[in-house]
Amino acid sequence: MLLRMIGALVDYSGRRPWLVIALALLSMAGLWGYASRLELRTELRELLPRDSPAFQAYERQAQRVDGGAQLIVIAESPDRGANERFIDALAEHLNEPLRKRAACAAACADDACRAACGPPALIRYVESGTKEVRSFFDANKWLYASVRELEAADEAIELELALRSGLIDDLEASGGDAGAAGAAAAPAPAKKGLSLDETWQELQRRLKKIDEFPSGYFATSDGRMVALRIVSRSAGMGDRRAAELLDQVTALVSRLDPAGFHPAMQVGYAGDIPNAIAEQKSLVSEAVWATVIALVLIVGGVMIYYRSPWSLVVILFPTALGASAGYAFATLTYGYVNTVGAFLGAIIVGNGVNYPIVLLSRYRDFRARGMPADEARREAVINAFRAELVGASVAAIAYGSLTITHFRGFSQFGTIGFVGMFMVWASIVPLVPATLVAIERIQERLPRWMRDPAPRVSDEGTAGPGARALARVTSRWPLAFLAVAPVIVALAAWKLPAYIRDPWEYNFARLGSKSSREKGAGSWSLKASEVFGGKMNVAGAMMLADTPEQVPAIKAQILANDAKDPQGQLVADVATIADALPGTAEEQQRKIEVLERIRDRLTPRVLKALGPEERERVLAMKPPETLRVIGPKDLPDLIRRRFEENNGVVGTVFYVKYKNNVSFSNGRNLLRMADTTGNVVLPDGTHVVTASRPTVFAEMIRSMERDGPLATAASLLAVTAVVVLATGSIAGALAVLLSLVLGVLATATAMAALDVKINFLNFIALPITFGIGCEYPFNVFDRARLLGGDVSLALKRSAGPVALCSYTTVLGYGSLIFADNQALNSFGWVAVSGEVACVACALLFLPALLHVMNRSARMRRSWKGGLLLRGSNHS
């Protein structure tokens, strides 16, 4: 019944080709139009499952601090003054809209009025220098001395004033002899600054340490580079707001015309935002180029193989329809694609053309042997139906196995690929016959030179010397090809055990763009490090507590966790708002009391007794009367804002600062950081959920480690089930599966030998290889089944289409080999290796195995019992 329905659909498509084609074109136009809304999100957090604690904590943190990613603008020229003037002009233009909106909001009495002031700016604040910080610390430097230092200074002044007044003897000056009256009466030599010099100098050293930018600008010591820092509302992980902000700042810099400030001036961008966007652009451009290159090479290969440009329409039409359905489904279901799905187009094109290639090859084969066109169309579809169905099933399984994972980097890719590949398969039955009829009718009206040449086959119905050579060598020397299997197994037994124990890529520097480190954002980031070098910068992973009161306990717990790390300590310090204050309110009050005593001792009479030069020094060092207890809200904006939430709460934000030799590109370090800082449990039992970029990266690694083996096992088991059902015999299923497993095993062994680690992109190649790689051996086996077990003839007739299918799939993957993005590059190498290994096993190992197995009478009977489909006479 199923075959009759399929035959009826083929006949209808032949009678109404233009209607079928018109409906397909309308559907494709609608699907692509709908898919044009699809958004690309390259934030790495989009790869994590939404129920991941790290993802949820990071989302909550992003809402509370509204981004915080930095965009650093650097002006570089030989003229310090020109650099400073440019930075001042840029800061003024950036701050103007912020001031206007703040003034508008301040004049409002309700939320509706404030909303009318416009949406929140992409910029939270702009920092162009440290003048405000210098002024603040200069005015309050006495509070930054310790109570002990101030009390020691007070006691020294009291003693010196007593000595100066002659109320006590200077025992040191008298040599320790209290009885020497003349010595006792002699006044001690005056100490410069009334003993405040040491404390004063210590405070000056501290002030210099706090503010290491003497010019008041973020600049190198020679002024060759001056920087401005923009703190945004973006999370800095490649989101749309970050790209919009960078575009706005770039346009503003262009309008300001840096060359007008100095002819040699160059302006560059560094920080979280440009680095993430550089990676994103690299990924997107590579995905586009991968699709274009794959399409061009596939088109060329198909035209050469079939010697026909018209064959492109037959093959690419259903492929384009399937791809449009996949992306339309993504738009409907998700509304966006993540990093992994960005280059799915090249893979759908490379894999999807397999189905129409097999069908077109069967049709041309039958036509070459003299079958009428209408019968050839029907017989081609029915003859290839089982192979096409199994191919679609295993491909769907390959993609579908990824959907059962929680890691969105896998599951979303799998879902879209599943829909796209299924739609390609579903569309070939009506579309390929209809397109063949339409092309033949068009060619009837064209000159002969514009028509397709008639397909040719040999007397036995085969095409191509390569296929005949494969059939000859595999039938003559089957044991030679079977001997490859124990060699691969032996190599696998040698290389794989150690590799499997730790196959994951932990070096994140090997996953990003290679060129961005040498030019663009990467090179300017190095210059930003030269400017800042940790100065005036709360460097580290930002985290949040629930309340400011929790922060000291969280800090202590994180440091305690770090101290227990068996691999050594990673954390240098935990920076909190308390580090910027001169102590608690009680400590500051005690300091003020001591400073008041010091000030009271320096009476006008005492000062009058000093010489002019000394009096001027003491007056400069005299504690001012304006000193008061400083709270978090009193700190300069440059410091306070780093510890402030959107709602104005100060003190919940803190930063985990790691040691200078700790690499953030090392995934193992990220896992250790996450263990140390993630989800802190306080001594009172309070559970504080914290998040940072290291914890997000660490969760991504854990998700891969958890979901990777699950997807691979699911793909293999499901493919095995389909093959067993489709072959109709245990021996046949064993032969197909042995060929597949040998190809995958060879790929894994090569990865182990070359130390190709598994990352969040190239891992997808493994479960997909089980599905796509299974098509080839099953196609050869199914053709042999239809030919009653004639393996050589089956290989002669199927080797060409199978090789062409593999060629197109290799191109879909292989275009990624030339990618600048190293993760894409590794994905391309692994996938191509799997394809080559699987098709080699299908065309060499499997025929040799079937020849050996054919010697068994039981196998010959299984071939005959497997003739479940009509059409063996025309196979």
Side-chain angles (χ1 to χ4, degrees), residues 394-405:
V394 293
I397 286 168
Y399 289 103
S401 65
L402 300 173
T403 66
I404 65 175
T405 66

Side-chain angles (χ1 to χ4, degrees), residues 643-807:
F643 300 94
E644 187 174 29
E645 294 188 44
N646 293 336
N647 59 7
V649 174
V650 180
T652 51
V653 180
F654 62 95
Y655 297 82
V656 179
K657 304 170 73 172
Y658 296 96
K659 294 182 177 180
N660 291 333
N661 62 346
V662 173
S663 171
F664 281 76
S665 297
N666 187 330
R668 291 186 175 86
N669 285 347
L670 298 179
L671 289 171
R672 292 167 60 198
M673 292 174 189
D675 290 338
T676 298
T677 64
N679 304 327
V680 177
V681 179
L682 302 182
D684 63 359
T686 302
H687 189 88
V688 181
V689 180
T690 60
S692 64
R693 291 183 190 178
T695 60
V696 170
F697 283 117
E699 184 66 20
M700 189 168 68
I701 294 172
R702 292 193 182 105
S703 292
M704 288 193 301
E705 291 176 342
R706 179 183 62 249
D707 290 341
L710 174 65
T712 304
S715 178
L716 177 58
L717 290 175
V719 165
T720 300
V722 170
V723 170
V724 170
L725 291 173
T727 52
S729 72
I730 298 299
L734 183 63
V736 172
L737 291 173
L738 278 176
S739 175
L740 171 64
V741 170
L742 188 64
V744 175
L745 192 64
T747 304
T749 303
M751 291 175 66
L754 298 174
D755 196 31
V756 177
K757 296 296 187 180
I758 298 174
N759 59 56
F760 67 95
L761 281 182
N762 69 16
F763 170 79
I764 299 173
L766 299 178
I768 287 180
T769 297
F770 279 119
I772 306 301
C774 185
E775 289 184 40
Y776 310 135
F778 183 83
N779 222 303
V780 174
F781 171 84
D782 191 62
R783 201 66 185 272
R785 178 187 64 82
L786 292 172
L787 289 165
D790 190 336
V791 178
S792 293
L793 185 57
L795 188 58
K796 291 174 184 178
R797 294 184 178 178
S798 62
V802 166
L804 182 60
C805 288
S806 179
Y807 166 81

Side-chain angles (χ1 to χ4, degrees), residues 266-308:
Q266 291 184 323
V267 176
Y269 308 93
D272 311 315
I273 290 175
N275 284 327
I277 291 174
E279 293 289 344
Q280 175 186 352
K281 288 183 176 179
S282 169
L283 189 69
V284 173
S285 64
E286 298 298 344
V288 171
W289 277 109
T291 305
V292 171
I293 292 171
L295 187 60
V296 169
L297 293 178
I298 287 170
V299 165
V302 169
M303 288 179 59
I304 292 171
Y305 180 81
Y306 290 115
R307 297 176 296 130
S308 163

Side-chain angles (χ1 to χ4, degrees), residues 515-595:
S515 62
S516 67
R517 296 198 305 268
E518 302 166 1
K519 57 185 179 181
S523 64
W524 283 103
S525 292
L526 295 176
K527 294 182 178 182
S529 298
E530 187 178 346
V531 172
F532 290 97
K535 306 171 187 176
M536 289 301 298
N537 185 30
V538 183
M542 182 180 70
M543 300 183 186
L544 276 82
D546 297 330
T547 65
E549 291 74 24
Q550 288 179 336
V551 171
I554 293 174
K555 175 177 180 177
Q557 189 61 51
I558 288 176
L559 293 175
N561 293 344
D562 185 56
K564 296 176 184 176
D565 189 335
Q567 299 181 55
Q569 293 181 316
L570 295 172
V571 179
D573 192 15
V574 178
T576 70
I577 190 70
D579 299 328
L581 294 171
T584 64
E586 293 77 12
E587 290 172 338
Q588 292 184 60
Q589 190 58 49
R590 287 177 57 195
K591 294 178 184 179
I592 290 173
E593 292 170 359
V594 177
L595 290 169

Side-chain angles (χ1 to χ4, degrees), residues 39-48 283 334 336-343 407-413 416 761:
E39 179 186 350
L40 174 63
R41 297 182 186 175
T42 56
E43 304 100 306
L44 288 178
R45 60 182 174 176
E46 290 295 343
L47 303 178
L48 294 175
L283 189 69
Y334 306 109
Y336 70 96
V337 290
N338 56 37
T339 305
V340 183
F343 56 93
F407 187 59
R408 278 187 291 164
F410 296 163
S411 60
Q412 190 186 91
F413 178 94
I416 301 170
L761 281 182

